[in-house]
Amino acid sequence: MSTLTDKKINRAKKVWFTEERLYVLLEDGREIGTPIEWFPKLRHASKEHLNNWRLIGGGIGIHWEGLDEDLSVNGLLK
């Protein structure tokens, strides 16, 4: 039987970008990189908008106010 406490909660500590990728550093030391192409709002955003992010839910998600975009860390890992 599975409960909510059985699920691993992955939390972000840091977010940064290259021309082609979104990178996230997780609290456990893992670093993940995802193509920006997968996210249309990020793909077409200016560097200023991309860098205007904040962690939400204690690091379980990333929010871009100016882009009206939210990404979950667990979603990026899937």
Side-chain angles (χ1 to χ4, degrees):
M1 179 176 178
S2 179
T3 65
L4 288 177
T5 57
D6 291 338
K7 297 190 181 219
K8 171 108 172 103
I9 298 175
N10 296 292
R11 296 182 189 273
K13 284 179 43 174
K14 181 180 173 184
V15 177
W16 70 98
F17 298 88
T18 63
E19 291 293 320
E20 298 177 359
R21 298 184 85 75
L22 156 68
Y23 289 95
V24 179
L25 176 64
L26 303 180
E27 283 184 342
D28 65 8
R30 288 179 291 164
E31 186 178 292
I32 57 174
T34 307
I36 292 176
E37 277 296 312
W38 293 359
F39 309 102
K41 288 184 181 181
L42 300 181
R43 177 181 355 149
H44 299 296
S46 68
K47 287 186 183 203
E48 180 181 348
H49 276 114
L50 286 177
N51 289 318
N52 190 21
W53 57 269
R54 67 181 173 93
L55 298 176
I56 55 175
I60 64 169
I62 309 159
H63 175 71
W64 288 266
E65 183 74 31
L67 299 173
D68 190 30
E69 179 76 319
D70 296 296
L71 299 177
S72 74
V73 172
N74 282 342
L76 291 171
L77 289 168
K78 290 186 178 184

